[in-house]
Amino acid sequence: MSELLLFTLLDIAGTFVFALSGAVAAKQRNLDLFGIVTIAFTVACGGGLIRDLCIGVTPPASLSSWPYLMVSAIAAVVVIGAYRLVVRLKQPVLFFDALGLGLFAAAGAHKALLHVHSAEAAILLGMITGVGGGVMRDVLLNRVPLILQKEIYASAALLGATFEVVGELQNWSTQWVPWVAIGLCYGLRYLALQYHWNLPTFATAGDDVTPPSE
């Protein structure tokens, strides 16, 4: 499989699973059809849109290439039509979100490195590709974004993007580097959810630590 085809497929796969995440979250808030498709597309393409604008790719791929909208719409239809099956998964939004996080962190870092030729920028843009759509989803649904909470989320994307960039700079094989990057990101996020690993917080006596209502 060629490098271009591999990363195109990773990008499309990430779009689909993030769109599933967005569609499930929107369905849980009882949004209408337009709202579900809009949230699905925003989650699936928000991070990539930010990345493309930062590296000077205009118009962004998500707005100039029809497969992104089509894949997002298909994911929304899948969630609407098979919602009862989807929700049988334990915390389905978090499951799809973690998988999409890994896919986008790797694919986003790869694309950024092709354009900016800076390891630091590529790593950060890979992370942004992974977390950007989720931030937009949470803002639109009036929730505190995960990256602003104590959960290990952006850190997982950063790990995956870092491995992808290091692997490419060391000329390691693209047949396995992206998969390891995805696995590291997904694995850290999954383990953090399973075992309640969190980053430290610094609340002091008298602080209001009551979680915001959904």
Side-chain angles (χ1 to χ4, degrees), residues 1-12 110:
M1 182 183 296
S2 69
E3 180 179 297
L4 177 60
L5 178 59
L6 172 61
F7 283 98
T8 298
L9 291 176
L10 289 179
D11 204 31
I12 294 298
H110 170 78

Side-chain angles (χ1 to χ4, degrees), residues 144 203 207-213:
V144 178
D207 288 346
D208 182 8
V209 295
T210 303
S213 58

Side-chain angles (χ1 to χ4, degrees), residues 116-171:
V116 300
H117 306 292
S118 165
E120 295 82 0
I123 290 170
L124 290 175
L125 289 171
M127 180 188 70
I128 289 172
T129 305
V131 305
V135 171
M136 292 183 180
R137 173 201 62 212
D138 292 340
V139 169
L140 290 173
L141 296 180
N142 194 30
R143 307 191 305 197
V144 178
L146 284 175
I147 64 169
L148 300 182
Q149 301 182 55
K150 61 183 180 179
E151 293 192 30
I152 294 178
Y153 186 71
S155 304
L158 192 63
L159 175 63
T162 299
F163 187 88
E164 177 65 36
V165 170
V166 170
E168 293 196 24
L169 292 178
Q170 295 297 320
N171 294 316

Side-chain angles (χ1 to χ4, degrees), residues 23 27 32-33 36-37 73-84 86:
K27 181 72 169 59
D32 62 13
L33 176 61
I36 293 174
V37 174
I74 291 174
V77 170
V78 168
V79 169
I80 294 171
Y83 183 72
R84 291 185 178 180
V86 172

Side-chain angles (χ1 to χ4, degrees), residues 27-128:
K27 181 72 169 59
Q28 290 173 340
R29 288 300 185 92
N30 296 318
L31 271 62
D32 62 13
L33 176 61
F34 180 78
I36 293 174
V37 174
T38 298
I39 295 296
F41 179 77
T42 300
V43 176
C45 300
L49 188 150
I50 296 171
R51 177 204 60 220
D52 286 352
L53 292 177
C54 288
I55 63 179
V57 175
T58 54
S62 58
L63 300 181
S64 61
S65 182
W66 61 267
Y68 291 96
L69 178 58
M70 183 187 72
V71 168
S72 300
I74 291 174
V77 170
V78 168
V79 169
I80 294 171
Y83 183 72
R84 291 185 178 180
L85 178 62
V86 172
V87 295
R88 290 179 184 176
L89 295 171
K90 183 180 180 180
Q91 297 179 301
V93 173
L94 295 177
F95 172 81
F96 292 126
D97 198 67
L99 183 56
L101 189 67
L103 291 165
F104 270 3
H110 170 78
K111 184 172 183 179
L113 190 61
L114 290 177
H115 288 80
V116 300
H117 306 292
S118 165
E120 295 82 0
I123 290 170
L124 290 175
L125 289 171
M127 180 188 70
I128 289 172

